[in-house]
Amino acid sequence: MHELSIVTHVMKTLREVAEENHLHAIGSVTLSVGEVSGIVREQMLDCWDWFKKRDELMKDAVLQLETIPALTYCSSCGRQYPTVEYGKTCPFCGSKETWLLQGNEFSIKEIEAE
Amino acid sequence: MKIIEVNRAATAANDKDAELLRAELRDRGIFLLNLMSAAGSGKTTLLSRVISDLRDRVPLGVMEADLASDVDAVTIENLGAKSIQVHTGGCCHMDAEMTREALRAFSLEGPGIIFLENVGNLICPAEFDTGAHKKVMILSVPEGDDKPLKYPLMFQESDVLLITKTDALPYFDFNLSAASRRAEALNPAIRIFPLSAKTGEGMEAFEEWLLSEWEAFLHA
């Protein structure tokens, strides 16, 4: 349950943001989550709902997860392709010398608060 | 309600904690290395060797983090290093706060080198800054030379890659130059040391690196 500790990290960061901006209630939180970041959406949402009730600042906050598609670069032929569909092997040339360009992001994009 | 653009890493609070801890440890003269690897890569064997070789030159300590630790702390202590076991209570990685708590219970007041043996896992330990001054990744020969392709973040984040169990090279299809090339493609600055803690081959180069980093840390 990687998500459990990740939620506590996100909340800790949000408490800092709230303090810096003098906020007392957060209504929604949008996270940017890469398609292959390893975050399991359902678990994130469950952990969020469990933790938020225990925090005055976030008790009504809705969690929104925005997906960033995963793209892989092939260093053999120089082309890019969608990671989830083709995995490690380049669909153009069959090479396995491929690298993830984007898709492992995990960040707090924005919040709605007062 | 208003919209506030945050654009901050989800782990930003941990990153800040880690920076603070790193600075505190620097003041105390404690050089902390975060050792990351899969389970069974030979961390404890490697550390036993390093302790035997260097115990007379620098005070050493080991923090062993695991879900429920299985290290023989007595073995480490008998070799002449301080040790502590950290049970992460099911958590798959160490973060800065956990590291700080563990250090509080540690009897090495400093100065010295402490190795943090992170939880055996190639994924999330790479995402969480522990406050260590250097990150060292261990890849053992039986794990295969394709690991940089499968766990790129770990290789991108590490300062040093130790390729361990090189005494087993004749028995595995592990291509040392392919593994090095793949790691360097992800992280051109990474230092790579192939070694065998069992035979001692290659240990000297790593230990020289460690001592020179330690000297540089002390005089920075």
Side-chain angles (χ1 to χ4, degrees), chain A residues 32-80:
Chain A
S32 299
V33 181
E35 222 176 350
V36 295
S37 62
I39 302 285
V40 183
R41 298 182 73 90
E42 290 69 27
Q43 284 188 6
M44 261 313 270
L45 294 166
D46 282 351
C47 293
W48 179 264
D49 287 341
W50 190 85
F51 269 115
K52 74 173 189 183
K53 294 178 209 143
R54 287 153 184 82
D55 193 295
E56 193 52 35
L57 177 71
M58 281 169 262
K59 64 182 195 308
D60 298 316
V62 178
L63 184 67
Q64 281 159 351
L65 302 175
E66 207 177 79
T67 305
I68 298 176
L71 276 180
T72 294
Y73 171 77
C74 172
S75 60
S76 301
C77 73
R79 281 192 267 195
Q80 298 176 15

Side-chain angles (χ1 to χ4, degrees), chain A residues 12-13 20 108-109 111 113, chain B residues 2 4 6 8 17 97:
Chain A
K12 202 169 169 185
T13 304
E20 289 160 22
I108 303 170
K109 188 186 175 198
I111 58 173
Chain B
K2 56 183 174 180
I4 295 162
V6 180
R8 216 176 272 192
D17 274 1
E97 203 175 318

Side-chain angles (χ1 to χ4, degrees), chain B residues 118-181:
Chain B
N118 214 316
V119 181
N121 170 351
L122 290 179
I123 306 165
C124 38
E127 295 165 15
F128 291 88
D129 193 341
T130 58
H133 300 97
K134 292 282 175 194
K135 295 178 190 169
V136 177
M137 188 206 160
I138 301 173
L139 172 67
S140 65
V141 164
E143 290 169 65
D145 56 29
D146 59 348
K147 289 297 169 289
L149 303 173
K150 292 185 174 172
Y151 304 98
L153 186 66
M154 183 60 83
F155 290 85
Q156 280 161 4
E157 286 289 319
S158 297
D159 301 295
V160 170
L161 168 63
L162 301 181
I163 299 178
T164 60
K165 305 189 187 179
T166 53
D167 55 285
L169 275 171
Y171 313 104
F172 290 90
D173 291 327
F174 187 101
N175 186 327
L176 205 54
S177 61
S180 305
R181 182 166 43 77

Side-chain angles (χ1 to χ4, degrees), chain B residues 188-203:
Chain B
I190 200 164
R191 294 287 305 269
I192 302 173
F193 298 100
L195 56 85
S196 164
K198 192 175 163 189
T199 65
E201 192 188 357
M203 286 300 297

Side-chain angles (χ1 to χ4, degrees), chain A residues 1 15 17 22-23 38 43 52 55 60 64 75 86 97 107-108 112:
Chain A
M1 272 300 275
R15 276 190 283 275
V17 172
H22 312 290
L23 305 168
Q43 284 188 6
K52 74 173 189 183
D55 193 295
D60 298 316
Q64 281 159 351
S75 60
Y86 299 105
E97 298 286 327
S107 63
I108 303 170
E112 263 182 289

Side-chain angles (χ1 to χ4, degrees), chain B residues 63-153:
Chain B
M63 289 201 303
E64 165 91 12
D66 229 321
L67 305 187
S69 194
D70 60 355
V71 80
D72 192 354
V74 181
T75 310
I76 297 280
E77 296 251 336
N78 283 348
L79 285 166
K82 302 279 183 190
S83 85
I84 188 171
Q85 297 193 4
V86 187
H87 290 193
T88 60
C91 194
C92 45
H93 59 268
M94 289 288 281
D95 61 27
E97 203 175 318
M98 290 158 82
T99 307
R100 182 191 296 277
E101 282 303 313
L103 282 164
R104 203 164 279 157
F106 210 84
S107 53
L108 184 77
E109 296 283 314
I113 300 176
I114 294 182
F115 298 95
L116 165 61
E117 272 197 60
N118 214 316
V119 181
N121 170 351
L122 290 179
I123 306 165
C124 38
E127 295 165 15
F128 291 88
D129 193 341
T130 58
H133 300 97
K134 292 282 175 194
K135 295 178 190 169
V136 177
M137 188 206 160
I138 301 173
L139 172 67
S140 65
V141 164
E143 290 169 65
D145 56 29
D146 59 348
K147 289 297 169 289
L149 303 173
K150 292 185 174 172
Y151 304 98
L153 186 66

